[in-house]
Amino acid sequence: MATGSTEGSKSTGALARLAAERVDARFKGLPPDADGLTVDELTAQRRNLFTGGFTTPVLALSAERLTHNLELMETYAARHGLSFAPHGKTSMAPQLFHRQLDHGAWGITLAVPHQVRVARAFGVQRVFLANELMDPAALRWIATELAADPGFHFICYVDSVRGVQLMDAALTGTAARPLDVVVELGAGEGARTGVRTEAECAAVADAVAAAGTLRLVGVAGYEGEVPRADPERVRAWLRRLVALAADFDKAGRFADASIEEIVVSAGGSAWFDAVADVFAEIPELSLPVLKLLRSGAYVSHDDGHYRKITPFNRVPEEGALEPAFRLWTQVVSRPSPEQAFVNAGKRDAAYDLDLPFPQVVRREGGPERPATGISVTGLSDQHAWLRTAPEADLEVGDWLGLGLSHPCTSFDKWQLIPLAEADGTVVDYIRTFF
């Protein structure tokens, strides 16, 4: 997305303020002797993650793998004729938002009002809220943003007549331009939010048309919620979504002269290959179609859940994402030959989908080597429980590098994350806002 002068100056100023923030005890794992330095000053020192005074546990993001993942999804979306609004809830890191935008993203997807406020504070001009928005205070704030910035483009879900009425009541009298909405088609009975039937979708669309504060611009949903998801069921639901857009168009629901394109949006991190295939089948409509993909976990990928479910496993000729996170911990206890403990636990590592995966061991003065014979069996608040087989070479004081499962619950435990090159040189620090 091209950056306009207003957006560019706002984002540049906000990112500069991040660089001017002082390092202190709020930020886990950073060198104690860096207290009082600005983030920019610490970055300029190009400290080494392993010898530069960082304390364990410390989460690091691979600079090379991050760049690889950004470039891969940029080329994937372009190859398949998709616009891309990566889900920002994954990282809540404005620096990464702007890197995603620099790599061709149409905008940023978000889930709740606080996240939109963060994005706006850092100059993001296009926001797709993949959720219903009922909060009157948040709606009035959005209206204020729309009124103050003609370049701000905001879209959110609607999935009930009652919800439309509540939105209209909150927005009436705000004197803002209409708020753009898409009807969310539910993924099936027992799934999450979304309208369950096409007839109910039409009723919601009629309610939008009757509300002077809203404008219907398309349809959307989340195929990851399809019950008993498999390629056949996911594609069947996606074809329902496409048919709904075509039916709405045929009924003249997008006839408002101010509408420039029809939005059709789906796409998490597990089925974006199916989204690409089915969206390629969208027929010619009365207006151009914005085919909007919303995958978010790709930015860091992982060593567990998403490594197993990524669509690139089904289409290896399209490339492969690379896990970019590693949590560095230290062995603090070795009470028996079969057991050891490191100093990171639930406060530091994602554990909602899988336990961390031991990957490499570093011993002072020696080379990095595979974590052979070591597994994580459980987590306490600040300890990981390790099982060690006879072949495990592990001593108190060793650093153990852990792979993680689920990016969303990895980012949210760390406010300032070192971005490190392969040799350990830290080249930036990624600030998160959860």
Side-chain angles (χ1 to χ4, degrees), residues 46-126:
R46 294 179 65 85
R47 296 199 187 195
N48 187 278
L49 188 68
F50 309 111
T51 62
F54 291 84
T55 63
T56 55
V58 59
L59 181 69
L61 188 61
S62 164
E64 295 89 352
R65 292 184 170 199
L66 172 65
T67 296
H68 168 84
N69 293 342
L70 291 168
E71 292 175 347
L72 179 62
M73 285 304 291
E74 177 183 16
T75 58
Y76 181 88
R79 184 184 304 123
H80 291 279
L82 300 169
S83 296
F84 190 30
H87 212 315
K89 72 174 174 62
T90 297
S91 71
M92 282 309 296
Q95 293 150 285
L96 297 185
F97 293 173
H98 281 281
R99 289 195 64 174
Q100 291 169 313
L101 294 170
D102 290 343
H103 280 278
W106 170 92
I108 299 295
T109 295
L110 296 162
V112 294
H114 159 256
Q115 296 170 357
V116 182
R117 291 188 63 197
V118 172
R120 289 298 290 157
F122 287 87
V124 175
Q125 287 291 85
R126 289 174 173 163

Side-chain angles (χ1 to χ4, degrees), residues 187-382:
E189 290 302 321
R192 203 164 59 189
T193 55
V195 187
R196 291 321 198 232
T197 70
E198 279 72 5
E200 291 172 307
C201 286
V204 174
D206 287 340
V208 173
T213 62
L214 305 178
R215 183 176 70 161
L216 182 67
V217 297
V219 299
Y222 175 45
E223 75 292 338
E225 281 290 310
V226 169
R228 303 179 307 283
D230 61 24
E232 182 178 352
R233 289 188 178 94
V234 167
R235 282 174 168 79
W237 178 84
L238 287 164
R239 291 190 174 100
R240 280 184 65 199
L241 184 70
V242 167
L244 181 65
D247 288 347
F248 276 9
D249 188 46
K250 185 177 180 180
R253 297 190 183 279
F254 306 123
D256 187 321
S258 64
I259 299 175
E260 298 179 352
E261 57 191 0
I262 297 169
V263 178
V264 182
S265 180
S269 296
W271 296 103
F272 55 74
D273 58 332
V275 174
D277 291 345
V278 175
F279 279 15
E281 303 169 2
I282 294 177
E284 184 175 351
L285 302 181
S286 63
L287 293 168
V289 177
L290 180 70
K291 304 174 184 179
L292 198 60
L293 183 68
R294 306 192 308 269
S295 311
Y298 82 99
V299 69
S300 66
H301 197 45
D302 75 1
D303 283 292
H305 180 71
Y306 285 96
R307 190 173 204 163
K308 290 181 285 190
I309 69 169
T310 176
F312 287 116
N313 292 338
R314 295 187 288 272
V315 287
E317 68 278 6
E318 299 251 28
L321 294 168
E322 297 179 352
F325 270 141
R326 182 164 285 169
L327 177 62
W328 287 100
T329 67
Q330 191 169 33
V331 180
V332 293
S333 180
R334 190 81 159 92
S336 75
E338 297 81 27
Q339 195 173 40
F341 292 86
V342 293
N343 61 346
K346 294 178 180 179
R347 306 294 187 186
D348 314 296
Y351 61 92
D352 56 319
L353 296 178
D354 299 285
L355 291 172
F357 309 94
Q359 295 179 324
V360 294
V361 176
R362 295 182 68 96
R363 182 170 298 162
E364 186 174 1
E368 188 173 288
R369 53 187 167 77
T372 305
I374 305 170
S375 60
V376 175
T377 60
L379 296 178
S380 300
D381 281 354
Q382 298 294 176

